[in-house]
Structure formats: C-alpha cells, structure tokens
Amino acid sequence: MNQIETPAPTGPHSTNGADNSDGPAGSDHPHGNLGPAGADGPVEPPGGGSRLLPRLLRQTPFRRYWSAQTVSLFGDQISLLALPLLAVLGTGAGPAEMGYLTAAALIPNLLFSLVAGAWIDRSTSRRRIMVIADLGRAVLLAAVPTVFLLGGLALEHLYLVAFLTGTLAVLFEVAHSTLFVSLVPRRDYVEANALLNGSRAMSFVAGPSVGGLLVQVVGAPFALLVDGLSYLVSAVFLARIRPVEPPPASGRGLGLGQGLRFIFRSGILRAALVGTTTLNLFNYMFAALFVLYVSTELGVSPGVLGALIGAGAFGALLGAAVTGRLVRGAGIGPTVLLSFLAFPGPLLLVPLAGGPTPVVLAMLFAAEFLSGLGVMMLDITVGSLQTAVIPDALRARVAGAQRTINYGIRPIGALIGGGLGAALGVRPTLWIATVGALAGVLWVLPSPIRRLRDLPPQESAVRPPPAGPGR
C-alpha cells in the first residue's frame, strides 16, 4: 500500500515529500565542522576496516545521528502494529474508535507544526529539543504497560498517549531539519538523505515482522516498551554529538506566517510542495481503499497482502541505493521529474489487475515494488532540494509550514476516497486516484526545478526590494 508521508510513518512507501526540509546551502557547509575539518567537511577517522562503510558513516557525528534515526525508525514500526492491536484486543475498539486513535496521532501536525517551527527557530539548541522529545516519548510508551498491569488501561489512555507522542514527534521532526545541516556538508545532501531513507526502507522490511513476533510473544502492551527503549537509545546517540548549530532567529514575535510566505515566494519550494500535496491527496484516496480492494475484489489473502507490502519495502531499498547515481548522471531536476512519475505511475496496475490469479499477483507485486522504488527517489531528491534552498533563519518555520500542509491533506484524501468508493465503487475510485496522482508532476514541469543540474543555492530569507524606475 503506497502512501505519501514522514513522521507518523504510514506505510512502506510513504513519501515525506513536502516536509523533508533537512538542510541548507551555501557554497559549502556553513555549520557542520564538528571537530577537525577542512573545506570538505569533517575529517574521516583512520582505519582500514571503516572503509567498508559509506563515507558519511565513517564520520562519527553523522554516524551517531544516523544511528539515532535508524533505531527510532525500527521502534516506530513496532508501535504502528502494537498500539492498534492493543486498542482492538485490549479495549475492544471498533472502527470508529480506531479512526479516533489514528486522528489523535495525526492532529498535532495540524495544531502545532507552525507554532513549533516558529519557536524552534528561536531556540539555541535544537538538538536538546530532540533529546527531550525522545525521552518524553519513551516515558509515555512505558506508561502503557504500567497502567495495563495495574488493570486500569482504557481506550482514553491510548488516545492520550497517541496525541502526546504525536505532539513530541512534531517537535522532534521540525527540530531535526536544522540539526541535519549542522552535520552534513552541502555537497553530501543527496547521499545523506539516501542513507536516512535507506534506514526507513529497511525498517519497513524488518520492523513489522519483529513487531508481530513481539506482540505474539510478550503481548502488545509490552511490545511498546521496545519502541520506548528505541527512543532512549536515540536520545543517547543525539546527546553524544555536539554540532555547531545555526544561530537562533531574531526579530519580534514568533513570525508564524513567515515560513508559508517564504515557501510561496520560492519557485522551487512552491512547486515541490504543491506537487507533493497533490500526490498526497490522491494517494491517500488510493490508500483508503487499497486493502479493501485487493482483499475482497481480487481475493488476495492476508499473507499474500503482507508479501505485497514487503515488495514495496524492497523496492524502496533499491530506490535508496540508486538515487544518488541517477542524480549524478542525469541531474537533480530531471531525477525529481522522473520521481513524480515513477512513484504513482506503477499504481495504475492495481485497478488494471485482472485475469488469472498469477497474472493479478504479478501486476500487484510490480506495482508495489516499482512504486516503492519511485517514492524513495522522490523523498531523497525533493528533500535534498528543500535542504539546499531554505535559509537557516527560517528552517524550522518552513518545516512546520510544510508539515502542516503535507499532513493536513492526508485525512482529506482518505475521506474523499472513502466517499467516492461508496458512491462510485472501489475500482472506479482507484482509477481516479491513480490517474490523479500523476497530476503532481504538472506543478513541477513549469517550475525552475526541471532545469536544475546541481543543487540550487540557498535563497534569501528577505524579500528583495522591487526594482525602481531605470533599474
């Protein structure tokens, strides 16, 4: 099931598209000299064995940052399975209650992203905010099995935990956009994003299996402890790096609207955001009906459905591996355009699937695998573009604005998908969703993105004055 996403992970190929604002630009890395470094970034440690690692992972600060993200991503996959199962099996939640639980985790993105971005831009240590967010989520998840053992666990407790962990996730993700640029030289944005998204893809491959096994062996409440432990490990890794962060933003007030104004003033950011938001809208229409369609109308069993989703995760792994080479060969702009087609295009095979069972399954596996490859290409390239363009003074505010729009469109798409599915039928709605998702590229074609060979320079946080007569 392909979805367009980031933080509250939503599926094996959710694209973070519009909220991957992980770094800046400048002629070289302006902040990230963590210890001895020259113009090319941190010095790599000596040692022959370390040469087996990718170059960035041979640099201790980035390796700790990447390790924190990787451990946390795997833990999240456990909670994505354990928390809904606990709601169903432990509290007797029905369809409406499951919808409320999902909404409780997502609504902080709409409520707090703009405010979080404005506040974090004025903070002196974004890393400290991330550590506190990790520790807070560990405590919240540890509270669930504690209340369960005391015999008082109710659905309301799970709503509260989902809402509060979602709120802390907003703080973590918005702050992380600034920490990234304190660790990664500009020329390495694509490689760094590929490593981080590769971890995300690997978590989609192994995480659900580990989560299912833990729920089976120790039960859903105690499986959540493993995710809590992953947050503690992440906090330890983050506490052990000392990046030179960009200085806090100055000025009166929080500047809540500055991130949005900057996005829509930038031709690159505006096209990327509107394009990925269009993809989000139609892809969540698709996601709302995908499981229903393949299980009831195509007769796919739950076990095969799991294998289908796993195919998407393996496609995402391949996408993380090849995107850097595509960017070096074709350029960042053409690769972005290709990604806007490579992600949604294969999903046309889903409503098209028909005929003998082997043919249907082959079409579904191809759709999932190729779409997983495409979504990883899109996440890496669009995230790297955003990283290069956004100025440090607005980084968290832009991330908060992007997150508000990128997450805000998802429940709307799901509601439209469900409504159209009931009114028109599931298969016609899937055709609308898959064809409509291709429209995302139409916002990018006339933009400056398609002409880019390399990452663009950082844009100014201040609107240039209008040209006067004779200028």
Side-chain angles (χ1 to χ4, degrees), residues 156-173:
E156 290 75 16
H157 294 123
L158 299 185
Y159 291 155
L160 182 62
V161 168
F163 178 81
L164 292 177
T165 54
T167 300
L168 292 173
V170 169
L171 293 176
F172 184 97
E173 293 300 328

Side-chain angles (χ1 to χ4, degrees), residues 110-199:
L110 291 173
L111 296 179
F112 305 130
S113 291
L114 283 174
V115 175
W119 173 61
I120 289 168
D121 264 341
R122 285 165 168 74
S123 170
T124 56
S125 177
R126 290 77 165 187
R127 179 187 60 87
R128 186 181 299 119
I129 292 171
M130 295 171 69
V131 171
I132 292 171
D134 272 341
L135 294 175
R137 287 183 286 183
V139 170
L140 287 167
L141 291 176
V144 174
T146 303
V147 176
F148 177 80
L149 287 174
L150 295 174
L153 185 66
L155 191 56
E156 290 75 16
H157 294 123
L158 299 185
Y159 291 155
L160 182 62
V161 168
F163 178 81
L164 292 177
T165 54
T167 300
L168 292 173
V170 169
L171 293 176
F172 184 97
E173 293 300 328
V174 173
H176 134 270
S177 66
T178 299
L179 186 64
F180 179 97
V181 305
S182 304
L183 295 166
V184 181
R186 182 178 187 271
R187 73 180 192 286
D188 291 331
Y189 289 166
V190 172
E191 180 184 350
N193 273 312
L195 287 169
L196 294 169
N197 280 284
S199 294

Side-chain angles (χ1 to χ4, degrees), residues 248-265:
S250 57
R252 294 183 177 180
L254 289 176
L256 292 178
Q258 289 181 341
L260 280 172
R261 286 194 293 271
F262 180 81
I263 289 170
F264 287 99
R265 195 172 77 230

Side-chain angles (χ1 to χ4, degrees), residues 323-332 334-335 453:
T323 300
R325 296 179 184 177
L326 285 173
V327 169
R328 289 190 292 272
I332 186 76
T335 308
R453 172 73 188 180

Side-chain angles (χ1 to χ4, degrees), residues 82 115 143 171 188 215 237 253 277 333 335 401 416 434 445 448 455 464 466 471:
V115 175
L171 293 176
D188 291 331
V215 171
F237 276 122
T277 300
T335 308
I416 293 173
T434 51
L445 280 172
L455 289 175
R471 294 179 65 185

Side-chain angles (χ1 to χ4, degrees), residues 302-373:
V304 176
L305 177 59
L308 285 173
I309 294 174
F314 280 106
L317 275 175
L318 180 61
V322 304
T323 300
R325 296 179 184 177
L326 285 173
V327 169
R328 289 190 292 272
I332 186 76
T335 308
V336 169
L337 288 177
L338 176 62
S339 303
F340 266 97
L341 298 174
F343 168 35
L347 298 181
L348 291 167
L349 292 171
V350 174
L352 187 63
T357 299
V359 174
V360 169
L361 293 179
M363 294 176 75
L364 294 178
F365 272 100
E368 287 293 303
F369 181 85
L370 295 173
S371 182
L373 188 153

Side-chain angles (χ1 to χ4, degrees), residues 37-96:
D40 292 332
V43 170
E44 297 174 11
S50 67
R51 297 294 172 184
L52 297 175
L53 291 174
R55 180 173 52 83
L56 282 175
L57 293 183
R58 297 199 297 267
Q59 299 167 7
T60 301
F62 181 81
R63 184 170 65 250
R64 289 173 177 169
Y65 167 77
W66 173 84
S67 299
Q69 296 282 79
T70 300
V71 170
S72 183
L73 284 167
F74 274 85
D76 287 343
Q77 291 302 308
I78 296 171
S79 284
L80 281 173
L81 181 64
L83 194 62
L85 281 176
L86 180 58
V88 172
L89 303 177
T91 69

